[in-house]
Amino acid sequence: MSVSTAEGALVGHDEKYRTCLDTGLKVYAKTETLIKVNAVAAVLFLAVGGLFGVLVALTRWPGVHLLPADLFYLVLTAHGAAVLLFWIIFFEVAILYFASSILLNCRLATPHFAWLGFLLMVGGSLLATVAVLQGESSVMFTSYVPMQAAPHFYLGLILFAVGALLACCVFFGTLVIAKEEQTYEGSVPLVTFGAITAAIIAVFTIASGAIILIPTFLWSIGYIAEIDTVTYKLVWWGMGHSSQQINVSAHVAVWYCIAALVLGAKPLSEKVSRTAFLLYILFLQLACAHHMLVEPGISSEWKVFNTSYALYLAVLGSLIHGMSIPGAVEAAQRRRGFTKGIFGWLRQAPWGNPAFSGFALSVVLFGFLGGISGVVLGTEQINILMHNTLYVPGHFHATVVAGTTLAFMAISYLVVPLIFQRDLVFKTIAKWQPYVFAIGVGGTSLFMMGAGTLGISRRHWDITFSDASLTFDVPGTAFLMLGLNGIFGLLAGVGGLMYILVIVGSILFGKRRDAEAVKANPIVAGGEAVSTYGSEGTLKLPGTITLVAVFFTAFVLYYFINWKFLSEVWPLS
Amino acid sequence: MSDQAPPSAPSEPTKSAAGKDPSERVPAMQRLLDNPFLLLFLGVTMPTVFYIIWGIMELAQIPIAPQ
Ligand SMILES: [Cu+2]
C-alpha cells in the first residue's frame, strides 16, 4: 500500500485515501465524495420520479382516473425523465467511479472534470425537469417530432448528456492510470469489466442523443425548419433504447458485485462471464430496432437482422449471466458449508439482508418477467400482437424497475455503510423494503403486460377512446388489470418510500461506522472476491441447474403461446 | 526471467494480461477483453453501422410523395 502512495507521490499525485475497514479496499477521498454526491442526486430524483409514477398508475386505474388529461401527460413525461434518465444515470456514474477507482485501487483521473460533469448533469436535469413542470413540454419521454417541447427541455437533456459523457471519460481515464501505475495485477475484476461494458454502451447512447437532440434543439428555437419524423425516431431510439442497455450491463455488474461482497462469490468462469459481456458490447444495442418494427419504409432484412439474429446473441449473453450469477451464489454457499439437498444453499441464504434479498429478487424478476417479454417483443412477427400497447411499459418496468432499480436499491444497503460509513437506521423497514417493492413492481409489470395483451394502448389517457370515431371494445378484464396495476403501483410506491426513508435517514442520522461497529456487525464477506480475477471453477450446481430448467420451460412455453395467439389473429382457413 | 520478448511486439505490448510471465503468449481473446479502447471501438461501430447507417440508408431511399 505504501508503495503505491510513494509511486503516486513520484508523479505528483499524493492523494488522500483511507482503507475500508469492511473490505480492506483503498477508498480515495475524492472518489468517495464524488460517489456520494452522485448517489444523493440519484436518490432525490428517484423520490420525485417515483411519486410521479404513482400518480400515473392512479390515473390509469379507470375507477380512480386521478389526473386530468393535460396533467397526466405532463406527469408521465416528468416520471420518464426523472427515473428512467436522471435517477439511473446519476447512480450509474457513482458505479463507474466505484468500479474504476475503488476496485482498481487507483486515484480517480481528473476529479475536477468529474465535478464539472456532475454540475452539468445537475444543471441539465433541473432545467429539463423545470421545462416539463412548466407545462409546455409534455412530449413524453420519447419527445417524437413534430411534437415540440420548449427549447430548454432539449437543452437540459443535452447538458445532462454532456455531463454523463465527461463521467465516462473520467472512468476510461482512470482505467488508463490504473494500468500505467500498475495498481492491479492481470486483468481488471469482473465487476469493473461490467462497468466497462456499461460505459461503452453509454458512449454510443450519448452520441446518438447528441446527433438527434442538438438539431431538435435548433429546430425548437427556429434555426432548422423541419426534422424528418422517421429519421428522428430511428436515431432517438439509438439513445432511448441503448440507455436501457447501459442499465442492463450496470445492474449485471452490480449483481456480481453484491454476490461477491455479501457471500464472497466468484463467477463460475471469468472467461465465460466476460464473453457474455462482450456479446452485450457487440450486439445488445442493435435491439434499438425493436421500436421500429412496424415502421413502413424499412426493410424486413434490417428489422430482422437487428432485432432477431443479432439480438439473440445478446440474449445469449443474458442467459449466461442468468446461469452464472445464481451458480456463483450456489457455489459460494456450498463452499461455506450449506450443502444440504438441492436447495439448502438457497434456503440458508441471508434473506434478511436487504442487499441480498434485493439482489435475488432483482435477478428473478428481471429474468422471468423482463427477459422473456423482451424476447417476445423483439420478434418481428409476434411483436405485432402488442406493439405500442401497455405491454411495452409492462416489459420495461420489469427490466428497468424490478431489474435495475431494485438492484441499485440493493447495493445502496452496502454503499451507505461502506462509502457513507453509516450504519443503517430503521433496520426492520430495510429488511422488508426489497420484498414490498418487488411485489409492487412485479405486479404492475405483470398487469400492464396483461392489459397490453388485451389491446390497451400505452400512454393514452382515455383507454376507452370514448370520443374517437372508430371505437374499440375494451374487454372487462382489461379494466380489472388496470385496477390491479394501480393497487400494485401504490405498493411499489410504499416500497420506494421505505427505501428513501432508510437511505436518507441512515445518511443523516445513522451511527458512524467505526472499527467497533465493523466487528460487532459485519456486513460483507470481504473485498477480495470483488476486486480480483478468479473463478469458482465448478459446475456441481444441482440447484442452479434446476432453476435454469424451470426458466427455460417458462420461456419456451410463453414464446410458443404467442405464436399460437398470432395464428388466431390472422385466421388462414 | 528476462526472456526475449515475443518477436513481433505489437504496438501496445501484452503486459496487461498474463502479468508476471512475459514469455507466455496471451491468447487473442484475452487481449481483446483486456483492451477497453478496442472494445469501445467495436461497441460503438457495430450499432453505428448496422443500426444507424444501414437504417438511414433505407430511410433515404423512400421516395418523396408528390406535392
Ligand atoms: Cu427498447
Side-chain angles (χ1 to χ4, degrees):
Chain A
M1 251 184 303
S2 54
V3 178
S4 56
T5 350
E7 266 179 331
L10 208 66
V11 286
H13 290 287
D14 195 6
E15 298 237 353
K16 264 202 296 193
Y17 67 85
R18 66 178 171 89
T19 304
C20 176
L21 296 170
D22 284 282
T23 60
L25 296 173
K26 237 192 253 179
V27 182
Y28 281 87
K30 287 179 182 166
T31 311
E32 187 177 20
T33 317
L34 277 157
I35 291 177
K36 281 182 185 171
V37 291
N38 278 286
V40 167
V43 170
L44 293 179
F45 273 109
L46 177 68
V48 176
L51 181 68
F52 287 139
V54 172
L55 296 178
V56 171
L58 290 179
T59 308
R60 283 216 160 277
W61 184 348
V64 178
H65 217 201
L66 184 72
L67 300 175
D70 52 347
L71 217 51
F72 170 74
Y73 293 118
L74 184 154
V75 163
L76 187 51
T77 309
H79 170 60
V83 276
L84 204 51
L85 278 182
F86 305 147
W87 137 252
I88 283 181
I89 294 183
F90 273 116
F91 204 94
E92 277 161 356
V93 170
I95 291 174
L96 289 186
Y97 295 159
F98 167 80
S100 54
S101 173
I102 294 185
L103 289 186
L104 298 180
N105 272 317
C106 174
R107 69 191 164 85
L108 199 68
T110 61
H112 41 280
F113 273 110
W115 275 105
L116 178 64
F118 176 70
L119 292 179
L120 282 170
M121 285 170 70
V122 170
S125 53
L126 289 179
L127 192 62
T129 308
V130 167
V132 174
L133 294 181
Q134 283 171 333
E136 299 300 310
S137 305
S138 301
V139 289
M140 305 292 103
F141 178 61
T142 44
S143 55
Y144 285 153
V145 299
M147 263 193 304
Q148 198 176 58
H152 54 299
F153 173 76
Y154 303 111
L155 187 64
L157 293 185
I158 292 167
L159 292 177
F160 182 80
V162 173
L165 188 61
L166 276 179
C168 291
C169 294
V170 170
F171 170 76
F172 282 111
T174 308
L175 295 182
V176 172
I177 295 182
K179 193 167 187 177
E180 267 179 6
E181 297 181 0
Q182 295 180 347
T183 61
Y184 64 98
E185 259 176 39
S187 302
V188 296
L190 183 62
V191 174
T192 308
F193 194 78
I196 292 176
T197 306
I200 289 172
I201 298 179
V203 170
F204 173 75
T205 304
I206 295 166
S208 309
I211 293 173
I212 201 62
L213 285 179
I214 292 175
T216 309
F217 168 65
L218 295 175
W219 166 71
S220 73
I221 55 176
Y223 280 170
I224 289 181
E226 186 188 6
I227 304 266
D228 178 66
T229 51
V230 192
T231 309
Y232 177 92
K233 205 175 167 186
L234 179 98
V235 184
W236 191 91
W237 279 113
M239 172 182 77
H241 185 87
S242 302
S243 68
Q244 311 318 311
Q245 320 293 34
I246 313 175
N247 306 342
V248 173
S249 314
H251 78 225
V252 172
V254 164
W255 288 343
Y256 281 112
C257 184
I258 294 176
L261 280 174
V262 174
L263 302 169
K266 296 178 200 151
L268 295 180
S269 154
E270 287 273 4
K271 275 186 202 154
V272 172
S273 289
R274 278 166 211 254
T275 308
F277 275 123
L278 178 65
L279 290 172
Y280 280 1
I281 292 174
L282 296 177
F283 302 111
L284 192 52
Q285 305 159 75
L286 302 177
C288 302
H290 82 96
H291 295 276
M292 310 294 286
L293 279 177
V294 300
E295 222 60 50
I298 307 182
S299 68
S300 273
E301 286 86 347
W302 180 88
K303 291 173 183 171
V304 172
F305 174 81
N306 280 291
T307 60
S308 292
Y309 291 106
L311 173 67
Y312 294 156
L313 292 169
V315 170
L316 178 64
S318 286
L319 292 176
I320 292 173
H321 292 307
M323 161 135 190
S324 180
I325 287 168
V329 170
E330 179 171 1
Q333 284 286 82
R334 287 183 185 277
R335 190 153 37 76
R336 289 150 56 104
F338 302 111
T339 50
K340 218 172 138 202
I342 298 183
F343 288 120
W345 60 278
L346 198 58
R347 272 197 302 276
Q348 308 272 9
W351 292 103
N353 176 347
F356 179 83
S357 61
F359 145 77
L361 292 165
S362 157
V363 173
V364 170
L365 291 177
F366 178 81
F368 277 87
L369 292 182
I372 294 178
S373 62
V375 172
V376 168
L377 274 181
T379 304
E380 188 185 6
Q381 296 90 331
I382 44 184
N383 170 282
I384 202 71
L385 289 167
M386 58 279 278
H387 189 90
N388 262 350
T389 66
L390 204 54
Y391 189 95
V392 180
H395 155 72
F396 70 68
H397 279 75
T399 55
V400 177
V401 194
T404 310
T405 297
L406 189 51
F408 289 2
M409 284 174 165
I411 203 168
S412 307
Y413 294 116
L414 299 174
V415 171
V416 168
L418 300 181
I419 299 291
F420 288 85
Q421 293 176 274
R422 302 279 176 181
D423 269 332
L424 294 181
V425 297
F426 309 133
K427 288 220 171 67
T428 316
I429 299 181
K431 191 172 148 186
W432 289 105
Q433 187 274 330
Y435 298 97
V436 175
F437 189 74
I439 293 171
V441 174
T444 54
S445 305
L446 210 56
F447 295 123
M448 277 196 267
M449 285 193 243
T453 308
L454 295 171
I456 301 296
S457 75
R458 69 186 291 194
R459 291 183 180 143
H460 209 288
W461 175 73
D462 174 22
I463 59 160
T464 58
F465 290 96
S466 50
D467 60 351
S469 45
L470 284 172
T471 51
F472 177 67
D473 271 332
V474 182
T477 330
F479 284 96
L480 176 69
M481 296 270 181
L482 287 166
L484 288 168
N485 172 50
I487 293 169
F488 280 81
L490 278 175
L491 194 62
V494 171
L497 198 66
M498 290 162 77
Y499 169 77
I500 304 285
L501 214 63
V502 172
I503 297 301
V504 175
S506 305
I507 291 173
L508 294 179
F509 310 112
K511 246 198 10 233
R512 185 116 196 122
R513 193 167 168 81
D514 48 19
E516 250 170 67
V518 172
K519 228 181 241 153
N521 170 28
I523 52 161
V524 295
E528 208 219 303
V530 75
S531 60
T532 50
Y533 185 103
S535 311
E536 293 280 359
T538 174
L539 275 174
K540 270 195 209 136
L541 307 161
T544 301
I545 289 168
T546 311
L547 293 176
V548 167
V550 170
F551 175 81
F552 267 112
T553 312
F555 188 172
V556 170
L557 275 179
Y558 184 68
Y559 186 76
F560 284 106
I561 282 173
N562 275 290
W563 283 94
K564 177 87 173 52
F565 274 156
L566 185 66
S567 72
E568 286 162 9
V569 175
W570 283 316
L572 291 177
S573 57
Chain B
M1 284 301 272
S2 62
D3 202 50
Q4 54 272 54
S8 59
S11 53
E12 176 46 25
T14 55
K15 67 177 177 192
S16 63
K20 284 166 193 156
D21 189 2
S23 65
E24 195 184 315
R25 253 196 98 73
V26 181
M29 185 67 169
Q30 190 176 349
R31 267 187 297 180
L32 167 67
L33 294 178
D34 279 338
N35 187 339
F37 292 99
L38 182 54
L39 293 174
L40 174 63
F41 172 76
L42 292 174
V44 173
T45 309
M46 283 289 290
T48 305
V49 170
F50 287 110
Y51 177 77
I52 302 246
I53 294 181
W54 182 8
I56 288 185
M57 276 166 52
E58 297 222 338
L59 293 182
Q61 283 169 15
I62 304 175
I64 307 274
Q67 291 288 321

